[in-house]
Amino acid sequence: MAEKVTFKVFRFNPEKDKKPYYQDFEVEIRKPGMMVLDGLNQIRWEMDGTLAFRRSCREGVCGSDGLNINGVNMLGCITHISDLKPPIVIQPLPSLPVIKDLVVDLTDFMNKFFLVKPYLINYSPPPDKERLQSPEDRKKLDGLYECILCACCSTSCPSYWADPEYLGPSALLNAARFILDTRDEGADERLEVVNDRHGVWRCHTILNCIEACPKLLNPTEAIGELKKLLIRKKF
Ligand code: FES
C-alpha cells in the first residue's frame, strides 16, 4: 500500500461559506520526489474537483502557485512533500483577499508592480540593432531580473501586511532591476515613486522576503541599493 500524507487545506468559497475552514485529504505518495503541487493535483483530479488553486508551468518558472505551506511562503511545484513535516498545512498567500480556496486576488500586488514602471525607458532614438550593454553592466542585473512575480516575498512581509499602500519587496526589486540597467533612462521617475514612506522607507529589513523567494533573490539588498541611491542623489 502506498504511503499517505495528510494535506490540511484551507477552503473558502465566498459564495456559500460564512467563514473559512480546513479540510483534510489523504494524499498517496506514488513516486519519489512528489511535490506539493502533485498532491494538490491528486486531490482535485481524484477526490474533490471543486478545490481551487493556480498552477501552470510545474517548473518554478511561471510563479502561479505561490502558497503558504506549513507557515512559509513557497511554490507548490518545487516543494518536495518529503521535506515537510506532516500534516502539511496549505493556505493561500497571507494578506491578500481570497477569491476561492487557495486562489488570491493579485490585483493590488500587480498594480504596485506597474507603479514602478517595470519596462525599459529610453528617450534616445533606437539604434539600428539592439541597445548594447557591456557584459560587466549586464552582470549587475543578476539577482534582479529573475523575479517571477509569485508574490511569495511581498506577502511574507509584516510591513506589507500592516501598510496596504506599501509597494512591497517584489515591486521594489523590480524597480531596482530597471534603475540599475545602464540602457535605461527612467531612473529618476522611478526613484520619485519609491522615495516615499510607502516605498523603500517602509522596509525595516525584517528579511522575510529573502527566506520566501523561491528564486533565491535578495529584495532587501535591492531595497538597500535604492536607499543608497536616493541618499546620494539627495532626493
Ligand atoms: Fe509555475 Fe509553480 S506552476 S511556478
Side-chain angles (χ1 to χ4, degrees):
M1 264 229 326
E3 183 198 343
K4 290 187 176 178
V5 172
T6 304
F7 274 36
K8 203 172 254 308
V9 184
F10 177 100
R11 303 298 308 264
F12 183 52
N13 179 352
E15 287 178 6
K16 64 181 183 65
D17 300 326
K18 284 204 175 64
K19 55 180 186 175
Y21 61 99
Y22 290 84
Q23 186 172 5
D24 286 0
F25 296 95
E26 296 303 312
V27 170
E28 269 189 19
I29 305 301
R30 293 176 183 163
K31 56 177 182 184
M34 248 180 84
M35 302 292 176
V36 169
L37 179 60
D38 295 321
L40 290 174
N41 282 333
Q42 192 183 115
I43 294 171
R44 179 149 76 190
W45 294 336
E46 301 174 24
M47 296 177 227
D48 185 345
T50 69
L51 177 65
F53 56 92
R54 290 195 181 102
R55 88 281 180 269
S56 180
C57 70
R58 195 184 57 86
E59 300 287 348
V61 173
C62 73
S64 16
D65 64 338
L67 295 162
N68 185 276
I69 303 171
N70 280 359
V72 181
N73 291 355
M74 51 186 94
L75 296 176
C77 63
I78 55 170
T79 301
H80 287 270
I81 291 176
S82 58
D83 287 343
L84 299 165
K85 195 165 169 269
I88 298 173
V89 181
I90 304 180
Q91 306 177 92
L93 289 176
S95 81
L96 298 178
V98 173
I99 296 174
K100 184 169 183 260
D101 299 332
L102 302 172
V103 176
V104 289
D105 185 350
L106 288 163
T107 308
D108 180 67
F109 172 80
M110 292 307 296
N111 284 344
K112 287 168 175 166
F113 169 65
F114 289 120
L115 274 179
V116 305
K117 308 186 183 188
Y119 40 81
L120 194 78
I121 298 174
N122 192 309
Y123 299 106
S124 325
D128 288 342
K129 293 186 181 167
E130 69 268 36
R131 296 185 193 278
L132 294 175
Q133 185 173 48
S134 71
E136 294 73 33
D137 285 340
R138 160 62 190 78
K139 206 160 173 37
K140 290 178 192 154
L141 305 180
D142 284 351
L144 298 171
Y145 77 89
E146 302 94 330
C147 173
I148 56 172
L149 296 174
C150 62
C152 285
C153 64
S154 291
T155 60
S156 73
C157 171
S159 301
Y160 193 80
W161 306 336
D163 176 1
E165 289 179 57
Y166 176 36
L167 289 171
S170 174
L172 292 170
L173 177 123
N174 278 286
R177 181 257 170 270
F178 287 96
I179 287 170
L180 299 173
D181 190 322
T182 49
R183 300 162 300 177
D184 187 87
E185 296 174 355
D188 285 354
E189 5 185 328
R190 289 194 199 88
L191 287 171
E192 289 276 2
V193 176
V194 305
N195 183 29
D196 189 89
R197 68 194 170 102
H198 305 296
V200 290
W201 308 112
R202 179 63 70 200
C203 170
H204 301 307
T205 56
I206 296 168
L207 310 181
N208 281 13
C209 55
I210 304 171
E211 190 190 350
C213 179
K215 308 306 281 186
L216 308 180
L217 307 182
N218 189 331
T220 309
E221 190 175 41
I223 294 169
E225 288 303 316
L226 295 179
K227 285 177 176 170
K228 276 193 258 172
L229 259 180
L230 284 165
I231 289 165
R232 265 191 241 125
K233 283 180 170 266
K234 296 196 176 59
F235 252 86

